[in-house]
Amino acid sequence: MLGSVILLWIGFSLLFLLFRTRRPKNFPPGPRPVPIFGNLLQLNLVNPLDDLRKLSERYGKVYSIYIGSKPAVVLNGLQAMKEALVNQSVEFAGRPQDLLINHLTEDKGVVLTNGPVWKEHRRFALTTLRNFGLGKRSMEERILGEISYIASHLENNAGKAIDSQILFHKASFNIICTVLFGTRFKHEDEFLQHNIRHIKENSKIVNGPWAMIYEMLPLLRHLPLPFQKAFQNMNMIKKSLADQVSQHKESWVPGEPRDLTDCYLDEMDKRGDDVSSFNEKQLIGYLLDLLFAGTDTTANTLLTAFLYLMTHPDVQERCQKEIDEVLGEKEQASYEDRHKMPYTQAMIHEAQRVADTVPLSVFHTTTKDTRLMGYDLPKGTLIIPNLSSVLSEESQWKFPHNFNPSNFLNDQGEFVKPDAFMPFSAGPRMCLGEGLARMELFLILVTLLRRFNFVWPEDSGVPDYTPVFGITQTTKPYRLGVRLRGS
């Protein structure tokens, strides 16, 4: 018996020495990792944000953790975020290449690519989105057209409490589809319903416990474990997008683009060589990136906004008063009206802040050996920008832990946007869809608040503001109480 215990102890000791992780010289401090697992056993993988906050309190604004045997540096607070992502934007502009999300996307698209492919496709996206109406009246018309379907649904259910969980996903999905494919889909359409479900499911999986296990223990990757659901979902989305591209190619007329897909086909045709980064597989990844980014984040922010508007009727009433005064007899709101609505603007930005929709951003890597706030970071170091820490940083906000539009108002009642407002991240990797998201949020919220009152259902108990963690956070399911104004 004693001999067995000694052999077991020796075996464990050898295993510990074999897998012992060594922190690089002058690397940011952090908790001691354990073999194989790193620091993952010290984090609540269902939602690690509170644990990451406590580690920052102990080790500082820049600290390290180990995901298995892989070191990662977590950035916390405005100073560290700006120093890395803005002041040293080139050195921190890389993307990791061996995480679950990379394997799901096959390193295609624009969000997770590196080098010339990323630069070419980001430039193409910004130009094409601008050409197809981003920031122009034509885009407003597309958004307002989609809002009419939401308003009709709400009007038909006035006086009731309705399920809100995919209502705004349908709207944001259709708005980005008008840009990508030049069309919208009926709310009961299978393409719309299936893709929204797959997007929502993958959002939870990609930053969840099974993703960490996938990245930590490569030997398990081919076993029938829950992360395989993410691959099934992704394959279904890719197939549906490939079908859209095939339909486009049948009616595509070179040089006469109807939408972003046509623009991409034009670019492929113009380059016409096998070595170009513009190809059909890359197009599928590209559409996937824009569809995901254009659907989940905006919809989840809207869900947060209406949750807080229902439970803060004073804020809702003040917004409606301002909207009524500014719009008067105008039939529809315009994006330009935002400049005359400081309080409503403040409410929308506050909803974005508390929604904390992409709490850990999209992970970065260092592109070369570099220094950050006195620490040495080798090339290829995984960087986790904790945007949540900036959006609730006590030194940056008047009311860091409460929903209060005053966070975006000065003493004169004018709208101001603090530097710590970075829900879209910062630097050259900043979200491509920021402009579209801001326009959607303003027009949807203003249009609906003008026509409806939103009330917390009496039988729904105490509101629970605790978010559901994922690569994009969302609210817990709730019902939306709808009343026609003036009734």
Side-chain angles (χ1 to χ4, degrees):
M1 178 68 181
L2 180 59
S4 298
V5 172
I6 293 173
L7 285 173
L8 186 63
W9 181 84
I10 292 173
F12 180 80
S13 299
L14 290 172
L15 188 68
F16 182 86
L17 291 171
L18 181 63
F19 289 100
R20 185 175 58 181
T21 50
R22 294 183 180 274
R23 204 175 300 273
K25 185 178 180 181
N26 197 34
F27 203 61
R32 183 186 296 277
V34 300
I36 302 176
F37 298 100
N39 296 116
L40 295 184
L41 299 180
Q42 299 161 266
L43 301 176
N44 178 351
L45 298 185
V46 174
N47 186 341
L49 294 180
D50 192 49
D51 292 327
L52 294 176
R53 177 186 58 79
K54 291 175 181 176
L55 289 173
S56 179
E57 291 173 354
R58 180 175 179 182
Y59 294 104
K61 297 297 186 182
V62 178
Y63 65 84
S64 62
I65 59 173
Y66 278 77
I67 300 174
S69 61
K70 181 182 296 184
V73 171
V74 185
L75 308 181
N76 302 271
L78 179 62
Q79 181 185 358
M81 213 71 66
K82 288 183 69 174
E83 179 62 31
L85 304 187
V86 179
N87 298 346
Q88 298 188 67
S89 59
V90 174
E91 292 87 343
F92 285 83
R95 290 294 197 207
Q97 296 299 295
D98 192 34
L99 302 179
L100 173 62
I101 193 169
N102 299 107
H103 298 165
L104 289 171
T105 61
E106 299 178 291
D107 292 327
K108 303 296 182 185
V110 61
V111 174
L112 295 168
T113 51
N114 286 307
V117 175
W118 163 60
K119 291 179 181 178
E120 285 184 330
H121 279 78
R122 184 176 177 86
R123 191 182 307 116
F124 175 82
L126 291 171
T127 301
T128 309
L129 287 171
R130 187 165 55 247
N131 290 343
F132 275 94
L134 194 58
K136 300 177 183 177
R137 183 64 190 170
S138 58
M139 182 61 76
E140 286 188 31
E141 291 169 355
R142 297 181 197 193
I143 296 170
L144 290 167
E146 189 60 37
I147 296 172
S148 68
Y149 292 94
I150 307 177
S152 177
H153 178 72
L154 295 179
E155 191 166 324
N156 291 336
N157 288 278
K160 302 176 183 177
I162 62 172
D163 181 5
S164 61
Q165 285 310 291
I166 63 169
L167 176 64
F168 300 115
H169 279 79
K170 290 176 179 178
S172 55
F173 182 91
N174 262 334
I175 290 167
I176 191 62
C177 280
T178 64
V179 177
L180 302 182
F181 310 120
T183 188
R184 71 175 298 277
F185 299 89
K186 293 181 179 180
H187 285 189
E188 61 271 15
D189 188 279
E190 286 188 1
F191 176 84
L192 176 145
Q193 292 192 344
H194 290 174
N195 280 318
I196 288 176
R197 185 176 73 250
H198 298 329
I199 287 170
K200 286 169 66 70
E201 286 178 352
N202 275 15
S203 170
K204 295 177 183 178
I205 294 171
V206 166
N207 265 10
W210 285 104
M212 293 295 186
I213 291 170
Y214 178 94
E215 289 151 15
M216 181 177 62
L217 300 169
L219 292 175
L220 302 182
R221 290 179 179 180
H222 298 291
L223 297 180
L225 295 171
F227 47 66
Q228 297 297 346
K229 179 64 174 175
F231 285 95
Q232 295 167 15
N233 288 341
M234 192 63 79
N235 288 336
M236 295 294 291
I237 298 173
K238 288 177 183 176
K239 184 181 182 304
S240 69
L241 294 177
D243 290 342
Q244 289 292 322
V245 172
S246 294
Q247 293 173 28
H248 258 70
K249 290 169 73 174
E250 292 175 2
S251 57
W252 164 58
V253 178
E256 299 180 15
R258 301 158 294 181
D259 46 50
L260 186 141
T261 300
D262 278 357
C263 285
Y264 199 100
L265 293 173
D266 278 350
E267 191 69 20
M268 286 171 54
D269 187 56
K270 182 175 73 176
R271 298 190 178 220
D273 58 73
D274 295 334
V275 298
S276 169
S277 66
F278 284 76
N279 55 67
E280 199 159 319
K281 277 193 173 182
Q282 183 69 16
L283 170 57
I284 301 300
Y286 195 66
L287 295 171
L288 180 67
D289 279 355
L290 296 176
L291 193 65
F292 189 98
T295 299
D296 214 38
T297 53
T298 301
N300 289 339
T301 303
L302 286 166
L303 285 169
T304 301
F306 282 103
L307 172 62
Y308 280 93
L309 286 168
M310 284 193 297
T311 55
H312 293 72
D314 56 321
V315 174
Q316 181 176 175
E317 184 178 348
R318 187 169 169 184
C319 287
Q320 289 170 324
K321 183 174 184 294
E322 184 178 70
I323 291 167
D324 292 343
E325 290 173 353
V326 172
L327 297 184
E329 299 300 316
K330 280 181 62 175
E331 184 177 346
Q332 293 180 319
S334 165
Y335 191 45
E336 282 300 306
D337 292 327
R338 71 190 188 282
H339 299 301
K340 303 171 188 174
M341 299 183 187
Y343 188 80
T344 304
Q345 275 271 78
M347 178 277 292
I348 294 171
H349 283 72
E350 180 67 351
Q352 289 179 271
R353 186 186 73 85
V354 298
D356 193 11
T357 309
V358 192
L360 299 181
S361 187
V362 180
F363 293 175
H364 291 234
T365 57
T366 50
T367 59
K368 59 179 75 172
D369 293 349
T370 188
R371 288 178 64 84
L372 178 67
M373 299 179 75
Y375 298 113
D376 292 327
L377 277 58
K379 178 181 177 180
T381 299
L382 184 65
I383 304 296
I384 303 176
N386 185 356
L387 298 181
S388 184
S389 69
V390 185
L391 294 173
S392 60
E393 191 168 8
E394 293 187 349
S395 63
Q396 300 297 323
W397 303 97
K398 289 180 279 189
F399 304 96
H401 306 299
N402 301 104
F403 175 79
N404 192 325
S406 296
N407 279 313
F408 292 89
L409 297 169
N410 63 16
D411 292 340
Q412 289 73 46
E414 299 166 331
F415 174 72
V416 292
K417 187 162 65 175
D419 289 343
F421 181 73
M422 48 175 65
F424 300 101
S425 192
R429 288 288 189 169
M430 193 170 178
C431 176
L432 277 169
E434 178 190 5
L436 178 59
R438 287 193 286 112
M439 184 181 284
E440 285 185 61
L441 291 171
F442 179 81
L443 292 174
I444 291 173
L445 283 161
V446 167
T447 302
L448 297 185
L449 283 172
R450 191 185 191 192
R451 294 183 58 180
F452 303 98
N453 286 320
F454 298 93
V455 297
W456 183 252
E458 292 181 1
D459 60 350
S460 290
V462 178
D464 186 350
Y465 302 105
T466 308
V468 178
F469 182 75
I471 192 170
T472 56
Q473 288 197 130
T474 188
T475 59
K476 289 184 176 179
Y478 67 81
R479 290 182 300 135
L480 187 69
V482 186
R483 306 286 186 273
L484 283 170
R485 289 187 68 193
S487 62

